[in-house]
Every structure is written in structure tokens, then in C-alpha cells.
């Protein structure tokens, strides 16, 4: 296989032109030896730039305007004092950034840019600086496969490329002295310390210091992934090379430095320059039957030691959700989660030095470890799904001459590297079962089709090498390293009859396993599936994961395949597809926001409206969060004269009273209604499901997930845990969900005794108990509301000694709220003579129209949006009515004669309202009294109404 390259891709040509046009006006340099004299004589064929900073800035601004990028006001230069052959010297060099989405040919672009700069301006010396060996290997591979293409395109120029090797310092002399184009690839670690060989004088160079030879050449630095070279130490190391300038290439710049070209992820996605993404979400459903916890972090602040734990807590709505709690020694997870399942899980010790948390039940968990998750079941489904999808996809792609690869990111190296490692064992079993259904695979063993790369750093000759962290540097490790990192052609090729045994072995590999070593720098165009086997949220960022397989596929001839039906990357994730895509989009937004803040020199929230407009034009509309509210713009101010008016005082006297309610429950009637409902309810068993979703990029630059398949059951998890006490479980749900309810254990036991289908409760105790409690609360609420009676607290004989604030709402609470912060969707300014406040918050379009109509009605004397603290008790939670209104007679003396409490709804039909909305309305009628609902209330002289618009309010005559 020989890779083919298209030199005419418009987006790549634009990126190259953007850099080259920075030097418009620079004459082409002729090769000439330059001598630097200090303590030693140094000679070099050096780069030179004749343009001044003013000319460079002018060119930069022209390029930025052409590229649709905000023109910078100054050059972003790095200044440092460095050691040279002539002593310490202050250096200053400009930096220019190119931003290209991963997978769009960034390495190709900067290598071709170097050759273009030579052809136009005679620049000859280039150093590609990389932060890791993985990226270095990727650059070297691109140099190898593009050499023929570049020689043909540029008329066979004289250029050499090589990796810096501290054991071969003659390369450094060659770099400085030759008049050819020199491209030297260096890791940052090879020159960022005083002990590096490149900084030492050596007899191998007749006493010269290699670094000074590099300085004499005034190289152009090409920084690959420069966001990993932003530390003070890294910047000083770059400056020590005394570069002419630095060109910075990344998809995720941390510091933008004079951006000259930008290809955003959304734009690359929309243009079809990268693969489309689909997410196959593998998640547990209805599996909350045992306590789960994971140690997220151990923190030491001053004299306090705490730990952050992920747990499954009971929410007020009855759902069990994963949430994070902070604990100290002695804390009970039962109390933190409101679940009796966590009984015995008291924090006994938090050990920062050892990095673990020990519990009273003697369970000890280290940071990142978890308890209670059926991890093996999830991993098994993910691996099986990936293998099956791979084999099906390969069958389709084989006709197009495309070999598919699948990449697994795993949670722990030992889970694959150990002979009986969990992931190795699950993969081998899944492969052996799947291959029986796919003839092309039936004669292959799992060992033949998988390879792995797990790396740790080792110093060797001034270069950072990467070795297998479990079994060392064996021949097998070296072969896997060479195949994955260097022999891309073999990975992309099908075995042929003419191949020798070793080549056939390489070409059979289709499944690659890694921990985090392949997170940057490595990719392969034919990775069609990425499976994330992580205990928690991915250790590798979503963009880094996706970047390993986002590049467009190639066929057996090395030609790029431009077919949307082929170019689809499937991510098999152990989280919901919505969460995955939200995190993916969030990472993009976060990266851009950091860049924007660096460019403008201020936080996002401090951008002016004009600056926000320019940012959204350049980066896309969805990249910025909503602007913060300006101080005072969303506040309502009290009209004290209206609040002290006789009309308002009279209204308040009528509505101020707090109440209590009394109810009677017929337990037998309740059970007779509840049991049949529970019998009819479907309780699904705990299971693992797979859901497919496609990722789309909108015109606003936002990535969103579109579900394309229903959730499919992949595994049933029945019988994997000890059964909990169902009565305790129901008691927890009754007392710790909203509204809290207390029932006797006798009633709950009687309920369970009457249930016919007890197997559903045994298969999924928590889901069954949740369903039973939901039905029980709904039926109980209906019973309570049906016969509810309210009494004023002030009228209760036992409450004579209560302070006024506990018997009624005092009007001073209104008077004290001179300014009220508003958080509603609609905020309406009001007339001076009607509303008690100058602005009214409205939570819906119905409320907004209601306020406008109140303002227009001449018989409305005064109205108030009732404050958040004005509530009344109900069996289904606290209830706050919407409005208090005073209406006056249109004829006669205009004396106000009608006092209303109004609730606005979009519909008056019971079936259109949520069940608890209707119940609260019934309680409101019983509290205030209502002619509409024919209910006598505990308060006198007030009429409670539910309306959809102001026209439905009764007139005084009514």
C-alpha cells in the first residue's frame, strides 16, 4: 500500500497560504554561510527575516481579515534571556497559530508549509517540536509516506528529515551547515533540561555545544500540540533554540497567539472532512438494587480531610441517581443517600497518604475504585457489541477494499496484560462466539487479531522512549509497538497469499487495545469503532478519543474514500449518548472559551455586546454561554404607596392567614385501589441496554445527538445480588421522596401480602418498590384531597400562644422586600396605579398575556404576583398561588368590592394538567373558598379562581 495525497484540498491550501502570506514582501534568501564569533567560531546556513514587526503585523491583519478572524492589534512574541555562545542574550520571536480539527491533515499541512516557505522565501531550517513519543512517531510516519508526494509536487527539492538523536550529534552539525531544507523532529524532553546532551559541550563536535549550532541556524519552530508546551519551563526551552519564529498547530490551542487560520470541529464535520460520529450507548437500566460508590477524590484543606464519593442517592422525585457527596470520618452514607441499602457504610478512615477510604464494614477503596457496579456485565456487552459490529462492518467494507480497525480504551493495564485479565478474557470469549457466525473469521484465534500498546516513559540517549509497563521490553512488545506506531500500511492491509508468515500475522490484527498512550499523536484512518472500557468517565477526553478514528478512511490502494455511507465512526460508550455528546460539545466550548479569554484578556462574562457579536461571528453562535445579567436589570422595586394603600391592606388582611388541614383515611379502601394498579404495572428486570444515536452539527456550531434506535436489551441482570428488605425499601421511598408520607409497617406488609405476582418484586426489588410507592402515593393523595378540611392556625385552640409570624403572613414581609431579584423567562414593566411592584415576573406565555390584560382592564384596581414565600400546606407539597387581585365596581362610587386569588393555567381540563397540579387546585379551593369549585374555605371574603386568561375573571356584578 502507498498512501495517496490530494494537493488541491481547498481547506489545506488556505491554511498553507495563510502562513506563507505572513511574509509577503520578504525577498527570497540565497544560501550563504553565516559566522557567529564568541568564545568559539560557529558557522551556519541560517534563516533570516528582513521584515520588521510593523510589516509582519500588517500582513498578519490582512491574513486574519481574509480568514474571517478578528484582526489582532499586536504581534504575540515570546521574550526570554537565553545562554548562547556569546553569553546571555535576550531573544524575542513572533508566534502564529493554525487551528485545524483533528483528522484533517494538520501534519501534512505544516510539512508542506515548510517546503512552501523554502520555495517562496528561501527558509531552510525547520524544527518540529512534539510533546510525546506517540506524536513524534506520527510525524515521522507522515514524513515517510509524504516524501514521494512532496518531491513530485515541488520538483524534487533537496530536503532531509530525521529525528534528533543525542547519540548522533553529527546530525546537529549537518542541520546547521547544509544549504538543503532540513526538518529535524525533536521531543520537548530532549532539550528542556540543563542535563540534556544538546546543552553540553562535547568532543564529538570539537568542543562545541550542539545547542549553539542550532541557535546559529535561526530555525523556524513548528510546534505540534503546543498546548502541551505552555509551562514556563517549556517556553524557556523553546526560546533557548533562538528561533526565527514559531508556527503553532493544534485543534485545541490553550493560548491562541495570533491565529491565522481556523477550521472548527463543526465546520470540518459539516463539510465532510472527517468521519461522521454515532454513539452506541451501553448503560444499566433499572439496576439500583445494591449500594454503589466510587472514590472520586481525597482532599486535604488546612486541618480538614474529606473525600468526594459518587453514590446512588434517592432523589425527592423517587428516582435513584448518581450524585457526588463530600464525606468526613464518621459520616453515614445511609443518611447522605436516604437509602437503607447503605446501612453499614459509615466512613471509618480517610487516608490521604495511602489514597484510600475505609468504611466501618472493613471495605477499603482507593481513589478511582468502585463498589457495587456490575462492571463485568457492562464490559461484556460493550466488547460483544464491538466485536459483532466490527465483523458486520468489515463484511460490508471488504467489497470496497477497506480494512476496518477497532480501538479499545481500557480502564487498567492489568485487565488486558495479565494472562487472565478481565478484558482479555471477555474479548477472547466474545470473539470465539462471534466468529462462528462470520466465515471470514472462523479460522482465526483471538490472539491473532488483537494487539496492545501500554506505555511508560524511559530515558534512552536523551530521547523519551515508550515501553510496555507490564511485561517489559520483549520481542512481542517491540513487534506490537512497531505495528501500531510505525507500520500503518500493514494495519490497513488485508493478508495476501504471497505474504510471508510475519507479514500475514501483522495484517490479521484488527483490534487494538490501549490505556492512555494513544490519546494524542496516533490515529489511523480505518479505525471505525472506539470502545471505551472505563470504570468511570473516560480517563481520556472525548475529543482525544474520537480523534483517534475521525480521519477519512483509505482503501487498499491508499486512496482516500469520500463516501458518507462509509465514513462513520462508532463510539461504544458506557454512558448515555446524550451525556457523551454533551461532554464532547462541552469540551469544545471550554477549549474555545479559554482561547477567547486569552485573546481578549478578560473573562467571558466581561465581554461587551460588540465583543460577543464578533466572537460568535468567528467561532459560531453556540460557543458562548448566555450573557450575565447586568446589575439591577432584573429587579422589581416595591411601590410603597400602593403597598400601604387601604385596598392592599384590606386584601392582605383577608389572605394572610396560615392554615392546617385535617384528613381521614380508609385503609381498606386505599388498599383495594392500590393493589390492582400495582398488579397491572409493568416492572422491567434490571438489564444492560444498547441505544444508537447519530451526532449532528447544527448551523450554530453545536453538536447534538439524534437517537436512531430504540433501546435494545443486551443482558438481563436478575439474581446477581442479595434481596433487600422490601418493607424497609418502601419506607425509605415513602419518607424521603416528595411529599414525604408515613405508613405503618403493618399496612405495607398487608399490601405485599395481597400482591399476586411476587416474582417481579424478587427480580427487581428496587424498581418494584418504586412503582408500588408511586401508585400508593397517587391513590393516597386522591383520598387525602377528596375530603380535606382547612382550619386557620389562629383559630386552633392549642395555638393561642404562637407568635404572629406562625399564625399569619405579616405585611412587613412585603414592605421589607423593597427590591426583589427576578429569574423568570418574561419580565413585564407595569403601570404605576395597578401593580404593587414596578416589574412583574412571568413564568410562561400564559402569565405574560394575563399581566398585559390585567393592565388593560379598567375594573382591576390592584394586583400582586404572590411572593415565593407565600405558601399553603397540601398533602402533595407546599402550594403557592399565582395572583392576588382587587377589583372594583365600574359604576357607582368605584368602591373595591371583590378580592380574588387567581391561578393561571394553559387549560382548565383536568386531563390536561399534571395530577398534582389538579390536587393543589382542589386544596387551594378548600383553603380560600371558591364559587368556581363550590367549596367553602377557611378564609372569608376571598374567591379562588383558576383561569386561562384575564377575561375569565368575574366582574364585580358577578
Amino acid at each position: 500500500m502507498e498512501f495517496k495525497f490530494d494537493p488541491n484540498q481547498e481547506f489545506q491550501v488556505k491554511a498553507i497560504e495563510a502562513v506563507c502570506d505572513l511574509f509577503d514582501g520578504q525577498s527570497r534568501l540565497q544560501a550563504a554561510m553565516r559566522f557567529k564569533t564568541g568564545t568559539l567560531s560557529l558557522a551556519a546556513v541560517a534563516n533570516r527575516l528582513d521584515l520588521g514587526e510593523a510589516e509582519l503585523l500588517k500582513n498578519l491583519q490582512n491574513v486574519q481579515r481574509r480568514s474571517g478572524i478578528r484582526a489582532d492589534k499586536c504581534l504575540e512574541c515570546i521574550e526570554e534571556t537565553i545562554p548562547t555562545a556569546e553569553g546571555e542574550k535576550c531573544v524575542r520571536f513572533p508566534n502564529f497559530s493554525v487551528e485545524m480539527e483533528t483528522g484533517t491533515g494538520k501534519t501534512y499541512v505544516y510539512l508542506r508549509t515548510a517546503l512552501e516557505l523554502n520555495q517562496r522565501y528561501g527558509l531552510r531550517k525547520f524544527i518540529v517540536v512534539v510533546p510525546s513519543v506517540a506524536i513524534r512517531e506520527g510525524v515521522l510516519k507522515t514524513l515517510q509516506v509524504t516524501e514521494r508526494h512532496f518531491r513530485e509536487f515541488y520538483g524534487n527539492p533537496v530536503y532531509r528529515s530525521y529525528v534528533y538523536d543525542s547519540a548522533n550529534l553529527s546530525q546537529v552539525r549537518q542541520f546547521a551547515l547544509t544549504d538543503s531544507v532540513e526538518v529535524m523532529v525533536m521531543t520537548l524532553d530532549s532539550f528542556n533540561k540543563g542535563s540534556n546532551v544538546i546543552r553540553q559541550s562535547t568532543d564529538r563536535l570539537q568542543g562545541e555545544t550542539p545547542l549553539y549550532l542550532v541557535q546559529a541556524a535561526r530555525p523556524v519552530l513548528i510546534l505540534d500540540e503546543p498546548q502541551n508546551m505552555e509551562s514556563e519551563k517549556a517556553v524557556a526551552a523553546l526560546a533557548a533554540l533562538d528561533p526565527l519564529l514559531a508556527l503553532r498547530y493544534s485543534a485545541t490551542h490553550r493560548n491562541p497567539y495570533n491565529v491565522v487560520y481556523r477550521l472548527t470541529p463543526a465546520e470540518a464535520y459539516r463539510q465532510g472532512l472527517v468521519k461522521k460520529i454515532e454513539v452506541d450507548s451501553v448503560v444499566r437500566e433499572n439496576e439500583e438494587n445494591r449500594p454503589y460508590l466510587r472514590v472520586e477524590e481525597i482532599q486535604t484543606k488546612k486541618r480538614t480531610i474529606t473525600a468526594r464519593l459518587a453514590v446512588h442517592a434517592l432523589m425527592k422525585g423517587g428516582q435513584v441517581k448518581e450524585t457526588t457527596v463530600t464525606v468526613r470520618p464518621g459520616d453515614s452514607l445511609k443518611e447522605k443517600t436516604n437509602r437503607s441499602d447503605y446501612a453499614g457504610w459509615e466512613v471509618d478512615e480517610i487516608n490521604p497518604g495511602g489514597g484510600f477510604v475505609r468504611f466501618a464494614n472493613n471495605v477499603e477503596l482507593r481513589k478511582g475504585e468502585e463498589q457495587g457496579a456490575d462492571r463485568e456485565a457492562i464490559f461484556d456487552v460493550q466488547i460483544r457489541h464491538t466485536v459483532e459490529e466490527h465483523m458486520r462492518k468489515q463484511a460490508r467494507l471488504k467489497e470496497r477494499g477497506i480494512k476496518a480497525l477497532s480501538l479499545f480504551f481500557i480502564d487498567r493495564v492489568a485487565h488486558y496484560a495479565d494472562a487472565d485479565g478481565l478484558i482479555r478474557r471477555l474479548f477472547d470469549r466474545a470473539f470465539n462466539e462471534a466468529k462462528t457466525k462470520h466465515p471470514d473469521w472462523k479460522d482465526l484465534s483471538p490472539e491473532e487479531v488483537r494487539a496492545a500498546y501500554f506505555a511508560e516513559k524511559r530515558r534512552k540517549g536523551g530521547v523519551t522512549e515508550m515501553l510496555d509497563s507490564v511485561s517489559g521490553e520483549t520481542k512481542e512488545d517491540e513487534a506490537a509497538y512497531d505495528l501500531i506506531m510505525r507500520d500503518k500500511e500493514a494495519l490497513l492491509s488485508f493478508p495476501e497469499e504471497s505474504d510471508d508468515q510475519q507479514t500475514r500475522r501483522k495484517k490479521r490484527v484488527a483490534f487494538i487495545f490501549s490505556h492512555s498512550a494513544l490519546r494524542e499523536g496516533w490515529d489511523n484512518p480505518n479505525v471505525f469503532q472506539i470502545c471505551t472500557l472505563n470504570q468511570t468517565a473516560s480517563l481520556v477526553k472525548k475529543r482525544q478519543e474520537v480523534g483517534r478514528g475521525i480521519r477519512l478512511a483509505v482503501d487498499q490502494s491508499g486512496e482516500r474514500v469520500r463516501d458518507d455511507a462509509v465514513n462513520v465512526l462508532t463510539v461504544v460508550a458506557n454512558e448515555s449518548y446524550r451525556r457523551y455528546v454533551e461532554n464532547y460539545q462541552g469540551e469544545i466550548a471550554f477549549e474555545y472559551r479559554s482561547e477567547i479569554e486569552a485573546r481578549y484578556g478578560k473573562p467571558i462574562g466581561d465581554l461587551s455586546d460588540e465583543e460577543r457579536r464578533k466572537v460568535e461571528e468567528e467561532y459560531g453562535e453556540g460557543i458562548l454561554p448566555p450573557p450575565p445579567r447586568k446589575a439591577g436589570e432584573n429587579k422589581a422595586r416595591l411601590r410603597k404607596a400602593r403597598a400601604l394603600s387601604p385596598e392592599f391592606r384590606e386584601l392582605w388582611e383577608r389572605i394572610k392567614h396560615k392554615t392546617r388541614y385535617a384528613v381521614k383515611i380508609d385503609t381498606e379502601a386505599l388498599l383495594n385501589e392500590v393493589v390492582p394498579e400495582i398488579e397491572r404495572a409493568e416492572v422491567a428486570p434490571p438489564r444492560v441496554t444498547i441505544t444508537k444515536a447519530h451526532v449532528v452539527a447544527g448551523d450554530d456550531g453545536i453538536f447534538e445527538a439524534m437517537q436512531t434506535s430504540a433501546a435494545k436489551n443486551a443482558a438481563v441482570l436478575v439474581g446477581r445480588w442479595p434481596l433487600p428488605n422490601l418493607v424497609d425499601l418502601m419506607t425509605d421511598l415513602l419518607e424521603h421522596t416528595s411529599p414525604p408520607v408515613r405508613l405503618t409497617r403493618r399496612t405495607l406488609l398487608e399490601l405485599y401480602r395481597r400482591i399476586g405476582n411476587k416474582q417481579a418484586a424478587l427480580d427487581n426489588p428496587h424498581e418494584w418498590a418504586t412503582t408500588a410507592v408511586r401508585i400508593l402515593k397517587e391513590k393516597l393523595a386522591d383520598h387525602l384531597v377528596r375530603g380535606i378540611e382547612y382550619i386557620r392556625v389562629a383559630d386552633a385552640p392549642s395555638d393561642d400562644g404562637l407568635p404572629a409570624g406562625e399564625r399569619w403572613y405579616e405585611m412587613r414581609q412585603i414592605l421589607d422586600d423593597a427590591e426583589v431579584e427576578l429569574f423568570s423567562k418574561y419580565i413585564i414593566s407595569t403601570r404605576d396605579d395597578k401593580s404593587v411592584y414596578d416589574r412583574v415576573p412571568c413564568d410562561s406565555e400564559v402569565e405574560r398575556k394575563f399581566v398585559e390584560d390585567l393592565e388593560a382592564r379598567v375594573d382591576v384596581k390592584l394586583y400582586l404576583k404572590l411572593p415565593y414565600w407565600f405558601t399553603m400546606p397540601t398533602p402533595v407539597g407546599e402550594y403557592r398561588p399565582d395572583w392576588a387581585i382587587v377589583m372594583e365596581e365600574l359604576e357607582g362610587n368605584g368602591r373595591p368590592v371583590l378580592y380574588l386569588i387567581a391561578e393561571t393555567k394553559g387549560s382548565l381540563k383536568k386531563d390536561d394538567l399534571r395530577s398534582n397540579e389538579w390536587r393543589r387546585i382542589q386544596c387551594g379551593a378548600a383553603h380560600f373558598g371558591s364559587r368556581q369549585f363550590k367549596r367553602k374555605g377557611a378564609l372569608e371574603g376571598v374567591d379562588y379562581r383558576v383561569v386561562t386568561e384575564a377575561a375569565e375573571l368575574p366582574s364585580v356584578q358577578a
Side-chain angles (χ1 to χ4, degrees):
M1 175 186 286
E2 182 178 348
F3 290 101
K4 308 294 193 306
F5 297 92
D6 179 3
N8 300 312
Q9 294 196 81
E10 183 180 6
F11 71 97
Q12 293 181 340
V13 172
K14 285 183 176 179
I16 295 165
E17 293 288 336
V19 172
C20 292
D21 289 351
L22 289 170
F23 312 106
D24 189 30
Q26 168 78 20
S27 59
R28 192 176 194 282
L29 303 175
Q30 299 303 314
M33 191 73 70
R34 189 180 75 162
F35 293 89
K36 293 181 70 175
T37 303
T39 56
L40 298 168
S41 294
L42 296 175
V45 177
N47 292 327
R48 190 179 80 243
L49 190 59
D50 298 327
L51 300 179
E53 288 193 4
E55 294 168 290
L56 271 179
L57 178 60
K58 182 179 179 182
N59 288 343
L60 167 67
Q61 292 171 339
N62 289 336
V63 168
Q64 289 176 323
R65 292 188 187 100
R66 187 180 72 203
S67 300
I69 296 170
R70 182 182 73 98
D72 290 324
K73 296 178 181 179
C74 62
L75 293 179
E76 295 284 350
C77 295
I78 289 176
E79 293 186 59
E80 290 283 338
T81 299
I82 66 169
T84 71
E86 301 159 348
E88 286 199 342
K89 169 187 171 183
C90 183
V91 298
R92 173 183 169 90
F93 60 96
N95 291 253
F96 305 100
S97 298
V98 173
E99 189 174 291
M100 294 180 68
E101 171 64 338
T102 301
T104 57
K106 167 172 55 72
T107 310
Y108 172 91
V109 165
Y110 68 63
L111 294 177
R112 182 169 156 188
T113 298
L115 295 174
E116 190 73 24
L117 289 172
N118 170 256
Q119 188 173 78
R120 292 193 193 187
Y121 307 115
L123 299 178
R124 288 174 168 79
K125 307 301 169 68
F126 300 89
I127 297 179
V128 179
V129 184
V130 299
S132 70
V133 168
I135 297 176
R136 184 197 70 188
E137 293 298 330
V139 174
L140 294 175
K141 187 64 184 180
T142 303
L143 280 164
Q144 175 194 331
V145 300
T146 57
E147 182 176 1
R148 178 175 175 181
H149 165 74
F150 285 147
R151 292 195 186 281
E152 290 176 352
F153 188 77
Y154 283 104
N156 200 30
V158 179
Y159 84 93
R160 283 177 292 200
S161 61
Y162 42 87
V163 64
Y164 164 76
D165 183 358
S166 60
N168 182 15
L169 294 179
S170 61
Q171 285 181 335
V172 179
R173 184 186 295 280
Q174 170 190 292
F175 179 83
L177 295 177
T178 62
D179 62 358
S180 61
V181 177
E182 300 285 324
V183 180
M184 183 161 63
V185 182
M186 304 181 74
T187 60
L188 185 64
D189 277 350
S190 66
F191 64 94
N192 67 350
K193 293 180 285 294
S195 59
N196 290 132
V197 171
I198 198 171
R199 293 174 179 262
Q200 312 300 318
S201 62
T202 174
D203 292 341
R204 287 181 283 168
L205 292 176
Q206 292 76 50
E208 293 176 348
T209 301
L211 179 64
Y212 299 161
L213 283 171
V214 173
Q215 292 173 350
R218 298 301 313 281
V220 171
L221 299 187
I222 297 174
L223 309 184
D224 195 324
E225 305 296 350
Q227 70 274 13
N228 297 322
M229 310 177 205
E230 294 283 1
S231 68
E232 289 185 13
K233 179 181 176 182
V235 170
L238 297 173
L241 301 176
D242 195 9
L244 188 70
L245 55 98
L247 302 176
R248 314 169 76 90
Y249 290 81
S250 177
T252 56
H253 289 286
R254 185 177 303 162
N255 190 332
Y257 290 96
N258 298 139
V259 178
V260 298
Y261 178 77
R262 174 178 290 116
L263 178 64
T264 66
E267 193 59 34
Y269 199 84
R270 281 197 298 265
Q271 291 185 30
L273 306 178
V274 293
K275 287 191 185 88
K276 295 296 185 281
I277 303 170
E278 65 180 15
V279 180
D280 287 2
S281 172
V282 179
V283 296
R284 296 184 297 268
E285 289 192 4
N286 301 322
E287 203 253 345
E288 289 88 26
N289 293 290
R290 53 183 174 169
Y292 169 84
L293 65 148
R294 180 178 68 249
V295 179
E296 295 278 3
E297 190 176 6
I298 294 174
Q299 299 174 323
T300 304
K301 293 182 179 179
K302 296 182 179 179
R303 298 182 180 180
T304 304
I305 298 174
T306 61
R308 293 177 65 247
L309 307 179
V311 295
H312 286 176
L314 180 62
M315 303 289 106
K316 289 186 176 180
Q319 315 93 332
V320 171
K321 288 187 177 181
E322 182 174 315
T323 188
T324 302
V325 296
T326 299
V327 297
R328 295 176 173 82
D331 282 353
S332 165
L333 294 189
K334 177 182 177 181
E335 295 177 3
K336 290 280 187 179
T337 62
N338 292 322
R339 296 183 64 193
S340 59
D341 307 76
Y342 284 91
W345 289 93
E346 288 84 31
V347 179
D348 189 39
E349 179 185 357
I350 301 175
N351 191 313
F356 65 82
V357 179
R358 183 182 293 119
F359 297 89
N361 56 12
N362 290 323
V363 174
E364 185 176 294
L365 295 177
R366 296 188 176 276
K367 181 180 176 181
E369 290 185 336
E370 63 184 355
Q371 175 86 14
D374 204 333
R375 183 179 60 201
E376 183 171 340
I378 291 288
F379 284 3
D380 186 37
V381 170
Q382 284 185 273
I383 292 170
R384 287 176 182 277
H385 182 71
T386 303
V387 171
E388 283 281 357
E389 284 288 299
H390 181 104
M391 292 180 177
R392 284 194 290 265
K393 194 170 287 189
Q394 182 60 87
R396 295 193 301 269
L397 295 176
K398 190 173 182 179
E399 299 177 358
R400 303 285 298 269
I402 301 170
K403 180 186 172 185
L405 300 173
S406 289
L407 173 62
F408 295 82
F409 282 110
I410 72 173
D411 64 331
R412 294 181 182 176
V413 174
H415 280 166
Y416 180 90
D418 290 355
D420 192 39
L422 173 64
I423 288 172
R424 181 191 289 254
R425 176 165 43 84
L426 292 176
F427 175 83
D428 290 357
R429 185 174 67 190
F431 180 85
N432 284 328
E433 291 178 5
K435 73 179 186 180
T436 61
K437 296 177 281 186
H438 300 274
D440 289 345
W441 302 86
K442 65 182 179 61
D443 296 327
L444 297 174
S445 67
E447 294 79 9
E448 291 178 284
V449 299
R450 54 172 164 78
Y453 173 42
F454 308 113
E456 64 180 10
K457 294 183 179 180
R458 181 195 71 173
R459 301 294 300 161
K460 181 180 178 182
V463 178
T464 302
E465 296 289 355
M466 306 299 280
L467 298 178
D468 189 280
S469 61
V470 175
S471 54
E473 192 176 13
T474 66
K475 288 184 177 180
E476 182 182 348
D477 301 330
E478 291 178 356
Y481 179 89
D482 287 340
L483 174 63
I484 295 170
M485 303 301 294
R486 294 171 175 167
D487 201 352
K488 188 178 289 187
E489 293 89 342
L491 270 179
L492 294 171
S493 300
F494 292 116
E496 299 176 3
E497 292 296 331
S498 59
D499 291 337
D500 58 44
Q501 186 175 356
Q502 183 178 1
T503 303
R504 289 179 66 82
R505 188 181 301 117
K506 287 183 177 182
K507 291 182 177 181
R508 284 173 179 152
V509 172
F511 301 92
I512 299 170
F513 292 80
S514 183
H515 180 250
S516 58
L518 299 182
R519 66 183 180 272
E520 285 183 325
W522 183 90
D523 64 55
N524 192 295
N526 286 14
V527 170
F528 283 93
Q529 295 188 122
I530 294 175
C531 180
T532 58
L533 300 171
N534 304 101
Q535 286 191 41
T536 65
S538 175
L539 298 175
V540 180
K541 285 186 176 181
K542 303 292 182 279
R543 288 195 72 191
Q544 291 174 338
E545 288 175 341
V546 167
R548 302 321 103 210
I550 199 74
R551 195 180 299 273
L552 298 181
V554 298
D555 59 22
Q556 295 300 287
S557 67
E559 287 283 358
R560 196 73 63 186
V561 178
R562 303 185 187 281
D563 183 342
D564 287 346
V566 169
N567 286 305
V568 178
L569 173 66
T570 303
V571 179
V572 183
N574 52 11
E575 60 185 318
S576 77
Y577 64 85
R578 287 192 181 89
R579 180 177 174 184
Y580 187 94
V581 176
E582 285 171 0
N583 288 342
Y584 181 73
Q585 173 63 37
E587 288 173 11
I588 293 171
F590 177 78
E591 287 155 359
Y592 277 139
R593 288 171 192 173
S594 299
E595 179 180 319
I596 292 163
E597 288 181 342
R599 287 184 65 188
Y600 283 86
K602 63 176 76 171
I604 290 290
D606 292 344
L607 294 178
S608 67
D609 292 343
E610 178 62 19
E611 287 169 336
R612 290 180 65 88
R613 184 186 64 78
K614 289 179 178 179
V615 166
E616 290 180 341
E617 285 178 357
E618 187 175 333
Y619 291 84
E621 292 180 9
I623 211 67
L624 293 178
R629 292 199 304 268
K630 296 182 177 65
E633 71 174 9
N634 282 350
K635 287 187 176 180
R637 292 169 178 81
L638 180 71
R639 291 179 175 134
K640 201 163 186 178
R642 295 302 286 147
L644 294 173
S645 66
E647 298 90 357
F648 185 74
R649 288 179 180 275
E650 179 63 24
L651 170 67
W652 198 257
E653 282 298 313
R654 293 170 184 254
I655 69 173
K656 70 178 184 180
H657 287 278
K658 296 182 179 182
T659 59
R660 293 177 179 172
Y661 63 82
V663 293
K664 293 181 180 179
I665 299 296
D666 185 335
T667 302
E668 184 63 25
L670 176 65
L671 290 177
N672 287 338
E673 287 187 32
V674 168
V675 170
E677 286 282 338
I678 295 176
E679 293 278 17
R680 287 192 292 270
E682 182 178 350
V683 178
R687 60 201 182 276
V688 178
T689 64
I690 302 174
T691 307
K692 187 179 289 290
H694 286 176
V695 179
V696 296
D699 293 336
D700 58 0
I702 298 296
F703 286 92
E704 296 180 326
M706 294 182 61
Q707 184 176 343
T708 57
S709 78
K712 300 175 183 176
N713 291 341
V716 176
L717 306 177
V718 169
R720 292 178 178 238
W721 52 83
L723 287 174
N725 184 302
L726 281 169
V727 172
D728 288 345
L729 195 53
M730 286 191 285
T731 300
D732 281 349
L733 289 165
L734 283 166
E735 294 182 2
H736 296 297
T737 57
S738 182
V741 172
R742 290 183 179 272
L743 292 177
T744 65
R745 292 181 69 86
R746 178 181 295 179
T747 300
L748 296 178
L749 284 168
E750 178 62 21
L751 169 66
Y752 183 68
R753 189 188 66 78
R754 296 188 187 189
I755 296 296
N757 179 20
K758 291 183 172 59
Q759 189 60 46
L762 300 177
D763 288 346
N764 197 343
H766 191 278
E767 181 69 11
W768 183 88
T770 300
T771 301
V773 166
R774 175 181 55 80
I775 293 170
L776 187 57
K777 282 195 171 187
E778 286 180 357
K779 296 299 181 183
L780 181 60
D782 288 339
H783 277 251
L784 293 173
V785 169
R786 201 173 297 150
I788 195 166
E789 295 289 341
Y790 282 89
I791 182 173
R792 298 194 317 180
V793 172
D795 296 338
S798 61
D799 294 333
D800 288 342
L802 287 177
E806 294 186 30
R807 290 185 286 169
W808 51 69
Y809 291 108
E810 297 190 73
M811 202 172 81
R812 64 177 175 80
Q813 291 178 262
I814 290 283
L815 299 177
D816 288 346
D817 287 340
E819 281 191 346
V820 180
E821 192 78 25
L822 305 180
F823 299 96
S824 299
K825 183 177 180 180
Y826 304 100
I827 297 173
I828 309 298
S829 296
T830 64
R831 288 163 46 182
D832 292 346
D833 60 338
K834 289 188 181 291
S835 173
V836 177
Y837 286 93
D838 66 345
R839 308 177 86 195
V840 177
C842 301
D843 299 325
S844 65
E845 179 65 26
V846 171
E847 286 194 1
R848 185 194 64 79
K849 182 69 166 55
F850 183 78
V851 170
E852 291 177 350
D853 291 346
L854 285 181
E855 292 282 314
R857 278 188 66 155
V858 295
D859 57 346
V860 173
K861 180 74 172 178
L862 177 147
Y863 70 91
L864 168 71
K865 179 70 179 285
L866 288 166
Y868 69 91
W869 43 261
F870 190 94
T871 62
M872 50 169 283
T874 81
V876 289
E878 293 292 300
Y879 168 49
R880 178 182 66 84
D882 288 333
W883 311 96
I885 305 169
V886 180
M887 303 186 73
E888 66 179 351
E889 190 176 7
L890 293 181
E891 298 178 358
N893 60 13
R895 183 173 54 86
V897 294
L898 189 57
Y899 299 90
L900 299 176
I901 294 292
E903 179 76 22
T904 45
K905 295 294 180 187
S907 171
L908 299 182
K909 296 180 180 178
K910 180 179 179 180
D911 291 343
D912 292 339
L913 300 174
R914 293 189 295 272
S915 55
N916 277 349
E917 280 186 311
W918 182 255
R919 291 171 186 140
R920 289 190 180 103
I921 287 171
Q922 298 303 308
C923 293
H927 173 90
F928 293 104
S930 172
R931 286 185 285 174
Q932 183 182 10
F933 294 98
K934 300 180 175 59
R935 292 291 298 262
K936 178 176 174 57
L939 308 189
E940 296 179 356
V942 184
D943 188 19
Y944 175 82
R945 293 273 173 166
V946 181
V947 298
T948 61
E949 56 184 359
E952 294 173 1
L953 293 174
S955 63
V956 172
Q957 287 79 5

